[in-house]
Every structure is written in C-alpha cells, then in structure tokens.
Amino acid sequence: MPELPEVETFKKYFDKTSLSQKINNVFIRDNRVLNVQEKIFKKTIRSNIFYSSLRHGKYLFVKLNSGFIVFHFGMSGDLKYFDDIKEEPKHSRILFEFENGNFLSYISQRMFGKVDLTNTIEDFIINKKNLGIDALKMNFEEFKKSLEKRTALAKSALMNQNIIAGIGNIYSDEILYQTRLHPKTKINEVNDSKLREIFETIKNVLKVGIEKKGILKTYPNDFIIPHRKKGELCPRCGGNIERLKIAQRHGFFCPNCQINHNKTSGD
DNA sequence: GGTCATGTTGACTA
DNA sequence: TTAGTCAACATGAC
C-alpha cells in the first residue's frame, strides 16, 4: 500500500499497538526481506523494546536500546498486531513476539519491502539513501530550494525520493491533477505562484490521505485517485482519463484539464 | 498465459 | 551531474 499517507497510517498503528513492550522473540519467516544478517538482527531485537517511532518519507524508524530498526514497505507491505499465533497473516515475513504474549507481523507479499538496522536516522537518510526532505514536514522554502535547478519532468521530480521523500505514483497523479499540471511539464519551468499552489496541494492531498488512512476507494470523488482506470472520465470536465508512462510508472491524467504550465507558455 | 500492480536500484545512454 | 529508459527483484489478481 505504501506511500507517505499509508506509512503514516502504519506508524499510528504501530505506536498504538507495539510501543514500550519488551520483545521476547523474533522469527524470520523469510530472510529475503532483511537487509542485515539474520543473526545480527535477531540478536539486536531479542529482549529489546520499541521506544518510539519516526517516519521520513516512506520509511519508518523505530528506536531501540541502541540504534533503530528501519521498516520499508515496498509495494505490498503492511503491519498486523494480533494475540493468537493462529492469526498470523499470509505473507508474514518477520514476526515479533512481545512479553505480553501478543505479536506483530511485518507483512510483505511481493517482498519489495526491506527491514534494516541503522545506528542513526541521519546516517540512513543522508548517507545510505540520500533521501530528500519529507513531503509532510517540509516548508515552502525547502520545497522551492529542493526543486531549483531541476530540469526533470514534474511527475518524475515529485516521485524522486532524493528530492522530496514520500510521494509515489498515485499521489503524484493526484497532485498534478489538482494543480492542473501536465505530468510532462518541466519542473524548472513552473512559475512561482504555481509552485506555491503545488506545495499547498501536496500538503492537502497527503492530509486527506492520512485522514482516509490510505484507503483509496474512500477518497473524494473529485479526486483523480478513484478514477485511475482505463475508460474513466474526469470528474471535473467529463473528458477521458488517459494513461502515460513516466519514470517507469504508469500515471493517469486528464489531457483536457492538465496542461503544460510554465513560464514561457504563459498560463 | 499475458498483463498489471501504491517501490527501489543499478546499468546504460544522452 | 542530471535525467530518461530499461531490467530486475517476487507474488498475486484479473
């Protein structure tokens, strides 16, 4: 599921269920999701406690006695907390057993997600992944600065985790749709007032996403998200929604509403 | 069987 | 250096 709003939803769920409990044991159901040696991971986690969590982009960091565990959810990741081992979900890849007898599963159907350890959050964000600013926490100045000198297409730029962390394929479609920006607009050709509008839209779209807990089918009908399908009509103009491929992903947009919006072409 | 899917990374090219 | 394209990773749904 996970772009920023989904990961934020996981964070809230994790905080509510799994913080401050001693971890009695950890079972690695499939070590392909581990980015660290299984032995080291188990040794680190056993008898440890999840003290607090912090999200940056699509990554969730959880503070341990020393250092952090890092969850990434790929395309099909999830968390589930439960009290009976018989309820262990399908595709549970790592299972934490708490002292109170309850469990937390790190789920990853397609195993694109990864679990890692890091000494500091900065080391992971900056040195290991070179992630950009968090889309939910950034201010306008940071946003503007991060895009300066970037010549990438708007959709690519929004999805580039090294520029802004947290926005993926679905939410970039929504942001471009609401700002009536063609996905192939060059980001450095967007004027200042439009840039401000994009910034405000990012904040609002992510906020709605978090409120809706990332459950896409509950999103407002005037969003493009419920209409990201072939044959759907634009809720604004009634035109046909089209699909195009950018940055290895299929995006949806309304060719009637969304235009190249840059300094040279005027509006 | 073919196509598609909310992601990331490395190789290659311009 | 910056960007675009492609392939690979692995699994399930339609």
Side-chain angles (χ1 to χ4, degrees):
Chain A
M1 291 214 331
E3 292 182 40
L4 189 153
E6 290 80 6
V7 179
E8 184 69 20
T9 303
F10 294 159
K11 171 177 159 51
K12 288 179 176 172
Y13 180 79
F14 181 89
D15 288 355
K16 197 175 65 183
T17 59
S18 304
L19 286 185
S20 311
Q21 300 183 48
K22 189 176 171 195
I23 304 156
N24 270 4
N25 211 342
V26 58
F27 303 94
I28 312 300
R29 302 304 195 202
D30 195 317
N31 64 17
R32 286 176 294 177
V33 301
L34 278 183
N35 263 349
V36 284
Q37 279 182 34
E38 191 170 328
K39 222 177 206 174
I40 293 171
F41 185 78
K42 282 181 171 170
K43 196 175 158 207
T44 305
I45 298 300
R46 281 188 182 136
S47 298
N48 218 317
I49 292 174
F50 294 139
Y51 287 101
S52 59
S53 74
L54 183 146
R55 185 196 50 72
H56 185 98
K58 303 172 187 173
Y59 292 86
L60 181 62
F61 299 86
V62 179
K63 186 159 181 21
L64 304 167
N65 274 324
S66 161
F68 297 80
I69 182 170
V70 189
F71 292 104
H72 184 264
F73 299 93
M75 297 255 274
S76 57
D78 205 350
L79 295 174
K80 192 185 172 195
Y81 186 83
F82 52 97
D83 59 15
D84 184 344
I85 189 66
K86 290 195 205 81
E87 295 171 50
E88 185 175 6
K90 205 174 177 183
H91 310 303
S92 165
R93 307 301 186 191
I94 296 180
L95 180 69
F96 302 91
E97 182 179 2
F98 297 108
E99 195 171 46
N100 68 5
N102 291 352
F103 301 89
L104 178 76
S105 262
Y106 167 84
I107 300 164
S108 186
Q109 184 212 106
R110 293 166 64 189
M111 289 195 282
F112 283 7
K114 288 284 178 288
V115 177
D116 207 346
L117 295 172
T118 185
N119 286 327
T120 70
I121 292 178
E122 294 69 32
D123 188 49
F124 187 89
I125 289 178
I126 297 167
N127 302 326
K128 190 158 185 184
K129 300 289 180 183
N130 188 29
L131 294 178
I133 49 178
D134 181 79
L136 197 64
K137 295 169 194 156
M138 66 183 179
N139 62 38
F140 180 69
E141 295 311 314
E142 293 167 327
F143 172 69
K144 189 178 171 186
K145 199 175 168 206
S146 75
L147 292 175
E148 265 169 10
K149 295 173 191 163
R150 290 289 183 162
T151 58
L153 306 179
K155 184 168 170 65
S156 302
L158 288 175
M159 287 197 297
N160 186 337
Q161 302 303 301
N162 306 129
I163 302 176
I164 299 164
I167 299 167
N169 194 27
I170 286 184
Y171 290 92
S172 64
D173 276 0
E174 190 61 52
I175 292 155
L176 294 168
Y177 175 74
Q178 292 195 15
T179 51
R180 302 180 185 232
L181 205 65
H182 192 287
K184 287 196 170 174
T185 307
K186 289 195 176 132
I187 197 69
N188 61 331
E189 293 182 357
V190 171
N191 66 40
D192 251 40
S193 69
K194 199 71 186 171
L195 212 54
R196 170 73 72 171
E197 194 187 326
I198 296 170
F199 174 78
E200 300 295 342
T201 303
I202 289 173
K203 297 291 182 177
N204 189 56
V205 164
L206 295 177
K207 185 170 145 263
V208 172
I210 292 166
E211 283 166 6
K212 297 288 185 185
K213 300 186 166 68
I215 303 165
L216 300 177
K217 57 189 170 194
T218 68
Y219 284 34
N221 190 53
D222 60 351
F223 276 37
I224 197 176
I225 284 177
H227 306 282
R228 293 180 78 261
K229 263 176 281 179
K230 206 179 170 193
E232 286 280 324
L233 301 179
C234 169
R236 191 162 47 206
C237 77
N240 289 304
I241 298 293
E242 285 186 13
R243 199 171 86 142
L244 85 175
K245 194 176 171 190
I246 294 184
Q248 298 90 258
R249 313 304 302 277
H250 287 293
F252 291 84
F253 77 114
C254 173
N256 184 42
C257 293
Q258 293 174 249
I259 54 173
N260 269 286
H261 199 305
N262 57 47
K263 286 168 183 164
T264 46
S265 76
D267 192 28

